[in-house]
Amino acid sequence: MLSDIEIAQQNEMEKIQVIADKCGLTPDDIEQYGHYKAKISFDAIRRLESKPDGKLVLVTAITPTPAGEGKSTTSIGLVQGLQKIGKNAIATLREPSLGPVFGIKGGAAGGGYAQVVPMDDINLHFTGDMHAITAANNLLSAMIDNHIHQGNELQIDLRQLSWTRVLDMNDRALRNVTVALGGKVCGFPREDHFMITVASEIMAILCLAKDLEDLKERFGRIVIGCNLAGEPVYVHQLGCQGAMALLMKDAIKPNLVQTLEHTPAIVHGGPFANIAHGCNSIVATKLGLKLGDIVVTEAGFGADLGAEKFLDIKCRYGDIFPDTIVIVATLRALKMHGGVPKQELSTENVEAVTKGFSNLQKAIENMRYFNVPVLVAINKFATDTDAEIAELTRLCDEFGVPVELNECWEKGGEGGTDMAKKVVELLEGPKPTPKFVYDLEDSLEEKVNKIVKTIYGGDGVIFTDKAKKQIKQLADWGLDRLPVCMAKTQYSLSDNPALLGAPTGFTITVSDIRVANGAGFIVCRTGDVMVMPGLPKRPAALNMDIEADGTIKGLF
Amino acid sequence: MLSDIEIAQQNEMEKIQVIADKCGLTPDDIEQYGHYKAKISFDAIRRLESKPDGKLVLVTAITPTPAGEGKSTTSIGLVQGLQKIGKNAIATLREPSLGPVFGIKGGAAGGGYAQVVPMDDINLHFTGDMHAITAANNLLSAMIDNHIHQGNELQIDLRQLSWTRVLDMNDRALRNVTVALGGKVCGFPREDHFMITVASEIMAILCLAKDLEDLKERFGRIVIGCNLAGEPVYVHQLGCQGAMALLMKDAIKPNLVQTLEHTPAIVHGGPFANIAHGCNSIVATKLGLKLGDIVVTEAGFGADLGAEKFLDIKCRYGDIFPDTIVIVATLRALKMHGGVPKQELSTENVEAVTKGFSNLQKAIENMRYFNVPVLVAINKFATDTDAEIAELTRLCDEFGVPVELNECWEKGGEGGTDMAKKVVELLEGPKPTPKFVYDLEDSLEEKVNKIVKTIYGGDGVIFTDKAKKQIKQLADWGLDRLPVCMAKTQYSLSDNPALLGAPTGFTITVSDIRVANGAGFIVCRTGDVMVMPGLPKRPAALNMDIEADGTIKGLF
């Protein structure tokens, strides 16, 4: 089998106008970025507003192994499969972060014969959205330090700033820094932190904003910390929301690309799935619903995190709701949940599959809670055995959930036509009525409790004293009735990564609470959440190269 | 008079294909970035290699006032004027840095009716070149800290790292920082600094590299500091030059835009004119010579800095040489050199013009040293009086140098046709034979001495003890025979910003010497050089806004 970049480079792409034409976009509707990428204009988006919506398919997954279960690959394979059976399908996906490309990951635009292309560009600078976010985020940081330096009229407390700088790079040396050293001309020294760009609230805002105006208003509402009197300080008090929006004027336009089989794909926005909601932009998903009869989108991490937030945050703000949910499962992950150690996941173990099914079952129950029809999609790996696949299929049948194996990674759309047909069947049912885990009027404690009990299967939540104080502060500020964004390990339904399968009898401990007031949610952190990754002993960057003729190596 | 952004927004641009067509580029030769910007492919560059070169006009200036004398405006006005008189002219200019846009400056794409457009995009993210440089620079920083963290096989001395991080933002708080705080998982704490992106050696390399392969080789040659044994550490020892080049695969392609009058302009690369050489890319200038019969390019700061480096560094590496040099002069700057304080520069003062002529005279002599015909271009301001203009014209006539007033700022190309005609006349002379201030074989001390005596009009150079040690180290490393890049105040021919006019009897003190081995020059710093600007009391960002319909405010 060829590497992802080799497959991508051998693939003959269509010019992006051809893809645009396929979804009814005129040459004036798009702004090309090279021959194979384009931004879609807001004029086009507004023109299409009156068109009826297509159907929405959400792709999520069981609790994943560290390698991930192939949600992007399955999503891309699914639209390729839908196209193969004659459907007008479109994918709306997250855009990858540049930093991890140079670390372990190497790339994040699907895999094998289910990729979005040009994969090199999508994995590198793409259309510059990440860089725009970095600039807007860091302009705000510079404006804050400058405000303090130039007299600090707002009395900003430099000990209590929650706004941090960002960079789109895996760089552990930037996690904790002191800035403004060097004496009077360099400002007031203080502690600061760099997060990776996708963890910026700017990214979450981009993904939840309706349009440029909404984006600017949300920027204005961002709380950057508090003043010496303990009151919140908003960006609109600093007055730079206009300049920040100006920096984002192109980033807010969705990006059009294609799959290896020339299916249209909108790749736009990609916030973290821990301290943010982990889904591509509302603008992109809603546009997809105007352009395609079936839209396939994905949410980060497992169904307990990405999908819950997709439904409770993104769907609520975007006034959308999925018509079908696809849960990606791998035999490897099931065996892991059945107790098999990482190095033995390639060995046949039917018993472990049976045992590990509990995790998938909980994911199915969770998604069915929302009254949406569910399909289990087995993402086939070369090491899966017939006996294991038969056992998983039997378990699904027994549980009464449709299941379909797919070989999209190896065979592209051809390997996903059976899955596509099943999805089409499920889409023929009645439109689900939107349902959420909690009400907006619930208190913060109630909201988290409902998520823990309904989705995680736990007994309840414990707030540390620090978290309780923070809740009190948010209540005092009148900012405590927003949706909740849980920042929790993706490796367990609980907040303990060692608890596999479908644990019960546990509680969740919330140790830190921050308002992302511009994005419009409250982040509840359980345990340490890594917001700035580091590079490994041997970074992927060392394998990367570009030859004089443009041939790229080491992106995978 | 309208503001720059208003003029730009009222202007009807041609689609970029039309501009490409005008210079003989096919649709396949360019990669569009939106409707009005494009990258030019290396396939096109290679195809055009056998075409004969056009004529090259360098635009430089007298020693400037803090506001600048309008080199970009004059350069753009000149190509517009050349086009008006029927010439096939093209401008090759520097791309502006994002950071200063939010500070005092507000923009840097010409002014009035002599601008390159789309000015908003050119001033903001443009085609992402700056962001690519930021990413390549900071990937190297992350790789360095990661190397040290993961065992430090190369024995890099973290006390002696000369490579710093960069960000394209005016942010004084990042001038001096400590990084890698937070214990074992965050690396080894050390002092670091952020420069503004245009000060990165990556930018200088982009502007001096022949092609992608040369770029990668130059990245490999960068010296990042030394090891515990005092030996230089090169990027190729870390092994990430390939990944860095991959990040720059699009940034190395020149950007095509247009003037307000639809003249083609290539805007590509823009290194600092103090710690770097201050000219747009060699790739862009050489491509311009294939596309246009007359190419107008500019160099940063005054003739003592940008033009000297253009000739001694860029021309040497690029195997090019100007056919004519235009020296931009303003009455305001001449009066300043004649001793008039800043707040009185708008008042008529013919005597001060006479007195301040010494600075212009020295610039003319300097440029004539290179045996290139010179034209003095008076950039007209509304406050200039007829008597002042007459006096300057008289002084030029007396000195035997052609002089022409232009009103490009107010009238565009129409205001520059007389200047254009004079340039065409000068271009009819014989091709100048390349001449340089120093030979590459000269010692570092000899090179600096020659620049000081020949160009600055000083008596010689003093090296501090620190600088002497650094020269010895470069000699030990065998890296001491490169061209010299003087980092000196732009406000005086000397290294003392208070010495106006054409001072004599002074010496220059070099206090710090660094090799930019990838770029291929040795930076000699005289006094403090600001490599990370700060924001002013009232940043331009506060005036900026973008409305729902896309109307932009506050860029000027």
Side-chain angles (χ1 to χ4, degrees), chain A residues 32 34 121 146 172 178 249, chain B residues 32 34 121 146 172 178 180 249:
Chain A
Q32 283 183 238
D121 287 354
N146 190 57
R172 69 171 63 74
T178 46
K249 74 180 178 65
Chain B
Q32 284 182 238
D121 287 354
N146 189 58
R172 69 170 64 73
T178 47
K249 76 180 176 65

Side-chain angles (χ1 to χ4, degrees), chain B residues 13-129:
Chain B
M13 288 180 275
E14 295 277 13
K15 289 275 171 88
I16 199 66
Q17 299 98 312
V18 176
I19 304 299
D21 188 51
K22 219 166 163 172
C23 29
L25 293 169
T26 70
D28 279 341
D29 287 339
I30 61 166
E31 294 166 22
Q32 284 182 238
Y33 281 62
H35 300 301
Y36 307 105
K37 299 163 285 175
K39 290 237 166 230
I40 302 169
S41 80
F42 265 85
D43 285 346
I45 293 172
R46 276 185 286 261
R47 195 191 66 225
L48 293 163
E49 248 161 30
S50 56
K51 252 194 95 181
D53 281 345
K55 302 271 191 178
L56 183 59
V57 179
L58 170 66
V59 175
T60 182
I62 62 170
T63 301
T65 65
E69 302 327 299
K71 280 191 307 287
S72 299
T73 304
T74 304
S75 301
I76 297 164
L78 176 55
V79 287
Q80 291 180 161
L82 284 163
Q83 182 178 262
K84 272 252 183 308
I85 62 166
K87 297 294 173 186
N88 168 22
I90 185 166
T92 71
L93 305 170
R94 293 171 293 164
E95 46 187 313
S97 175
L98 183 59
V101 168
F102 301 103
I104 298 173
K105 237 176 162 180
Y113 288 89
Q115 296 186 51
V116 280
V117 282
M119 81 81 101
D120 51 349
D121 287 354
I122 294 171
N123 277 309
L124 296 171
H125 308 290
F126 200 18
T127 57
D129 296 344

Side-chain angles (χ1 to χ4, degrees), chain A residues 292-370:
Chain A
D293 295 329
I294 305 176
V295 175
V296 178
T297 193
E298 51 161 0
F301 295 157
D304 57 330
L305 284 166
E308 185 274 315
K309 297 181 198 183
F310 178 89
L311 291 153
D312 278 320
I313 301 176
K314 178 174 173 176
C315 287
R316 218 187 290 248
Y317 277 120
D319 197 19
I320 51 175
F321 211 71
D323 297 283
T324 288
I325 296 178
V326 173
I327 303 176
V328 178
T330 61
L331 271 310
R332 296 170 61 86
L334 285 173
K335 286 190 279 185
M336 180 189 74
H337 288 292
V340 175
K342 205 168 104 183
Q343 56 281 11
E344 288 167 32
L345 289 178
S346 302
T347 313
E348 183 178 84
N349 191 333
V350 176
E351 209 180 321
V353 171
T354 319
K355 213 176 144 206
F357 184 72
S358 63
N359 185 272
L360 175 55
Q361 188 180 320
K362 180 64 178 145
I364 297 163
E365 286 164 357
N366 281 343
M367 295 301 97
R368 282 184 169 170
Y369 168 86
F370 294 95

Side-chain angles (χ1 to χ4, degrees), chain B residues 232-305:
Chain B
V233 178
Y234 299 92
V235 167
H236 64 73
Q237 294 176 270
L238 286 162
C240 58
Q241 67 278 12
M244 291 164 69
L246 180 55
L247 279 168
M248 299 286 289
K249 76 180 176 65
D250 295 310
I252 197 178
K253 299 174 194 161
N255 306 298
L256 182 67
V257 290
Q258 62 192 288
T259 70
L260 287 173
E261 297 173 6
H262 318 312
T263 336
I266 303 179
V267 175
H268 190 227
F272 255 31
N274 48 34
I275 66 161
H277 63 292
C279 318
N280 74 294
S281 77
I282 284 180
V283 168
T285 304
K286 292 189 80 140
L287 173 61
L289 290 168
K290 301 300 179 187
L291 299 178
D293 295 330
I294 303 176
V295 175
V296 178
T297 194
E298 52 164 357
F301 296 156
D304 56 331
L305 283 166

Side-chain angles (χ1 to χ4, degrees), chain A residues 202-258:
Chain A
I202 305 284
M203 171 59 99
I205 291 173
L206 172 74
C207 290
L208 292 172
K210 272 202 308 279
D211 52 30
L212 191 59
E213 202 155 9
D214 186 30
L215 186 88
K216 188 166 68 181
E217 277 166 24
R218 285 168 179 270
F219 286 167
R221 289 203 296 269
I222 292 172
V223 173
I224 58 146
C226 58
N227 64 17
L228 290 166
E231 296 152 346
V233 178
Y234 298 91
V235 167
H236 65 75
Q237 294 176 271
L238 286 162
C240 59
Q241 67 276 12
M244 290 165 69
L246 180 55
L247 278 168
M248 298 287 287
K249 74 180 178 65
D250 295 309
I252 197 177
K253 298 175 195 158
N255 307 298
L256 182 67
V257 291
Q258 63 190 289

Side-chain angles (χ1 to χ4, degrees), chain A residues 15 17 27-35 37 46 98 102 120-121 124-126 128 131-136 138-139 141-143 145-146 149-151 165-187 194 212-213 216 238-250 534-539 541-550 552-553 555, chain B residues 15 17 27-35 37 46 98 102 120-121 124-126 128 131-136 138-139 141-143 145-146 149-151 165-187 194 212-213 216 238-250 534-539 541-550 552-553 555:
Chain A
K15 290 273 170 91
Q17 300 99 312
D28 278 341
D29 287 339
I30 63 166
E31 294 165 20
Q32 283 183 238
Y33 281 62
H35 300 301
K37 297 164 286 175
R46 278 185 284 262
L98 183 59
F102 300 104
D120 49 349
D121 287 354
L124 296 170
H125 308 292
F126 199 18
H131 295 313
I133 293 168
T134 305
N138 294 338
L139 171 62
S141 289
M143 293 292 285
D145 277 304
N146 190 57
H149 175 70
Q150 304 279 4
R165 289 177 166 84
V166 298
L167 214 58
D168 200 8
M169 197 55 67
N170 279 17
D171 191 346
R172 69 171 63 74
L174 293 177
R175 285 177 192 154
N176 304 293
V177 299
T178 46
V179 300
L181 303 172
K184 193 178 169 189
V185 295
C186 297
F194 280 78
L212 191 59
E213 202 155 9
K216 188 166 68 181
L238 286 162
C240 59
Q241 67 276 12
M244 290 165 69
L246 180 55
L247 278 168
M248 298 287 287
K249 74 180 178 65
D250 295 309
L535 291 170
K537 177 94 183 166
R538 197 183 152 74
L542 297 181
N543 305 322
M544 289 178 193
D545 202 3
I546 181 162
E547 289 170 7
D549 68 353
I552 292 168
K553 292 188 170 161
L555 277 180
Chain B
K15 289 275 171 88
Q17 299 98 312
D28 279 341
D29 287 339
I30 61 166
E31 294 166 22
Q32 284 182 238
Y33 281 62
H35 300 301
K37 299 163 285 175
R46 276 185 286 261
L98 183 59
F102 301 103
D120 51 349
D121 287 354
L124 296 171
H125 308 290
F126 200 18
H131 295 313
I133 293 168
T134 305
N138 293 340
L139 171 63
S141 289
M143 293 292 286
D145 277 304
N146 189 58
H149 175 70
Q150 304 278 5
R165 288 177 167 83
V166 299
L167 214 58
D168 200 8
M169 196 56 67
N170 280 18
D171 192 345
R172 69 170 64 73
L174 292 178
R175 284 175 192 154
N176 305 292
V177 298
T178 47
V179 298
L181 303 171
K184 195 178 168 188
V185 295
C186 297
F194 281 78
L212 191 58
E213 202 156 9
K216 186 165 72 180
L238 286 162
C240 58
Q241 67 278 12
M244 291 164 69
L246 180 55
L247 279 168
M248 299 286 289
K249 76 180 176 65
D250 295 310
L535 291 170
K537 178 94 182 166
R538 194 180 154 77
L542 297 181
N543 305 324
M544 290 180 194
D545 201 3
I546 179 162
E547 289 170 9
D549 68 350
I552 292 168
K553 293 188 169 160
L555 278 179

